[in-house]
Amino acid sequence: ADWVRRFGGAYENMIILDADSVMAGETMMQMVDAMKRHPTIGLIQTTPAVINAESLFARAQQYSVRLYGRVASAGLAWWSGSEASYWGHNAIVRVRAFAECAGLPCLPGRKPFGGHVMSHDVVEAGLLRRGGWGVHVTPTLTGSYEETPPSLLEFMKRERRWCQGNLQHIALLRAPGLHWMSRFQLVVGLMAYLASPIWLLSLIAGLYIQIHNKPDWGSWWYFLHPELNPMLWASLLTTGMLLGPKLMGVALVLSRPQERRAYGGTKVLLKSVAAEMGLSALTAPIYMIGNTRAVFEILMGKDAGWHAQNRDADGLSLADAKLSFRNEFFAGMFFLTALAMRPDLLLWIWPIFVPMLFAPRIAAWTSSRAAGQKAFNAGLLITPEERAAMVVSVETHQGADVVPMPVRTVNPALMAAE
């Protein structure tokens, strides 16, 4: 805001970057060209890929964003049209439009709901659209990158702040003049965190109902008959919504020989996808408890503040992990205790409570750079950019027993742009 007021009048556009953002010069030029050719557009948001991942957690995040992100982004671009969202960085913004429309309100009341708008980006997108400017997401523009938290603990710290920022948007849902799609974007952001306590409450309610029934060791066979049990269709629908973008991303790469080779071939791709999905399944219940706790703390009036993010941590001690993820462990013990009254439900509940019980160990293991290096040496979770950089590494380290994992790698497109 300070820059826009003091210097913005001298510039037609500005490109917003975070401290950990990287963008190719060619990508910037393409964004500027698009803004010149479409004078009614106020903002174009790129879909940044993740780079510089070293821990196992970060490598899984980097691989999933690279492989599945463009599918999700293409869907978002299709249904949101010119009322798309903004992620606060790696985007080009028309300065005049931003200056005229995107001034943020100071919300009434005390923190965590009052005060400055924390999740400002989606609000600014809505204000730009209210002013008649188009806001677009581009899924096809490459050369846009960012970094990701190195551990599950750092990721959850960031989620806590985002949760508070998104819950602030409740006060903005009825703001005058917003496009209905902009309001829907705010609701989607809210549900990203409210879904966790809803999921947890549904699990608890389901267990409460089942505990009052007698164990039925043959009930899982009953579950396999769709004409007898509509719960199967609900489960399949949920699974399809969760895995659909991932499966479409894999199918897209498999259908393109050049991309398939860039990922190391079909076998390597499928092994990496299995590893990523396995890690996602392990962390999903942990996210559920963490986000539920965040929602509860915010409703109780606890402010998260705004602290600098850590991008270079290496490892998390088991003692610290046990302290940080004790709520997840206690939640797992709760489900385990309930299971003692209905042991026949083990087949359906173990994917939920087992990751909770082992949340400290999962957090400590995935935060390690050594674990990330081990996955890299096994050929898993390696992006095409890293494989391209490995060619240089192999030539430089000929005769070495182990090819070092590229650290602080940069897409060749960046070097070409320079």
Side-chain angles (χ1 to χ4, degrees):
D2 178 71
W3 181 88
V4 168
R5 293 190 182 102
R6 297 173 63 189
F7 310 106
Y11 298 88
E12 184 176 350
N13 302 298
M14 57 181 177
I15 293 178
I16 310 297
L17 300 173
D18 265 2
D20 57 8
S21 296
V22 179
M23 190 175 290
E26 181 182 357
T27 303
M28 293 184 178
M29 296 301 294
Q30 290 176 323
M31 294 167 69
V32 171
D33 179 66
M35 295 294 277
K36 285 184 176 294
R37 288 187 290 107
H38 301 281
T40 60
I41 291 180
L43 185 150
I44 299 176
Q45 172 69 63
T46 67
T47 306
V50 176
I51 57 170
N52 298 333
E54 298 175 10
S55 68
L56 180 59
F57 176 83
R59 292 199 63 78
Q61 293 283 321
Q62 175 178 270
Y63 193 81
S64 63
V65 170
R66 180 64 175 84
L67 184 58
Y68 318 132
R70 55 183 170 172
V71 171
S73 178
L76 175 63
W78 180 80
W79 62 258
S80 61
S82 60
E83 291 82 36
S85 191
Y86 170 41
W87 304 325
H89 56 87
N90 290 58
I92 187 169
V93 183
R94 196 175 301 276
V95 178
R96 183 167 68 88
F98 192 83
E100 291 176 351
C101 305
L104 294 175
C106 189
L107 300 177
R110 299 174 57 186
K111 295 181 179 181
F113 288 98
H116 293 292
V117 177
M118 296 178 68
S119 294
H120 59 90
D121 34 27
V122 64
V123 179
E124 290 162 344
L127 294 176
L128 285 170
R129 190 66 190 91
R130 185 176 71 172
W133 298 95
V135 178
H136 293 264
V137 168
T138 170
T140 57
L141 193 60
T142 59
S144 179
Y145 306 92
E146 64 173 332
E147 296 184 11
T148 191
S151 67
L152 187 57
L153 177 60
E154 294 297 327
F155 186 88
M156 293 307 298
K157 288 180 180 179
R158 187 181 71 174
E159 287 287 284
R160 172 63 176 79
R161 190 184 74 233
W162 284 1
C163 179
Q164 179 174 329
N166 285 18
L167 289 183
Q168 281 184 318
H169 294 166
I170 294 175
L172 301 174
L173 288 175
R174 300 181 63 183
L178 290 182
H179 192 279
W180 71 268
M181 181 61 78
S182 299
R183 299 184 199 277
F184 180 69
Q185 300 273 13
L186 295 175
V187 172
V188 169
L190 284 169
M191 288 307 301
Y193 297 97
L194 294 180
S196 290
I198 292 173
W199 182 19
L200 180 61
L201 289 174
S202 67
L203 290 172
I204 294 174
L207 270 178
Y208 178 79
I209 294 172
Q210 292 298 328
I211 285 173
H212 288 76
N213 298 326
K214 294 181 179 180
D216 183 1
W217 294 99
S219 60
W220 68 282
W221 289 105
Y222 175 81
F223 193 83
L224 297 179
H225 293 285
E227 70 275 13
L228 298 177
N229 199 330
M231 289 175 58
L232 177 61
W233 293 110
S235 299
L236 290 176
L237 177 62
T238 303
T239 303
M241 294 181 68
L242 291 173
L243 299 182
K246 296 187 176 186
L247 296 178
M248 285 188 283
V250 174
L252 182 64
V253 172
L254 290 176
S255 67
R256 298 176 175 178
Q258 185 175 356
E259 284 199 42
R260 188 169 63 244
R261 289 191 295 269
Y263 276 92
T266 301
K267 289 184 179 180
V268 173
L269 173 66
L270 295 180
K271 287 180 180 179
S272 295
V273 169
E276 188 280 325
M277 287 187 177
L279 287 171
S280 295
L282 285 176
T283 54
I286 301 175
Y287 293 150
M288 175 182 67
I289 300 300
N291 288 337
T292 299
R293 177 189 176 187
V295 171
F296 178 77
E297 289 179 346
I298 293 166
L299 293 177
M300 296 301 294
K302 185 176 180 180
D303 178 35
W306 192 288
H307 306 286
Q309 298 181 39
N310 192 337
R311 290 290 186 267
D312 297 316
D314 179 15
L316 175 68
S317 69
L318 185 57
D320 290 339
K322 287 181 179 179
L323 181 62
S324 300
F325 292 92
R326 59 186 182 277
N327 293 301
E328 286 77 3
F329 175 78
F330 291 141
M333 289 299 298
F334 167 80
F335 282 99
L336 184 62
T337 303
L339 190 64
M341 291 180 259
R342 283 295 304 270
D344 56 312
L345 299 177
L346 176 64
L347 181 65
W348 310 114
I349 297 182
W350 76 264
I352 302 295
F353 76 86
V354 169
M356 295 180 185
L357 291 174
F358 290 93
R361 295 188 179 275
I362 292 172
W365 168 53
T366 57
S367 68
S368 169
R369 290 182 184 175
Q373 177 75 62
K374 189 174 181 180
F376 181 87
N377 291 340
L380 299 176
L381 304 176
I382 303 177
T383 64
E385 289 79 8
E386 288 180 312
R387 291 189 181 277
M390 285 171 61
V391 175
V392 179
S393 298
V394 170
E395 294 175 351
T396 306
H397 300 86
Q398 284 184 348
D401 294 331
V402 178
V403 177
M405 180 173 68
V407 178
R408 301 298 172 189
T409 56
V410 178
N411 189 311
L414 299 182
M415 294 181 285
E418 291 173 357

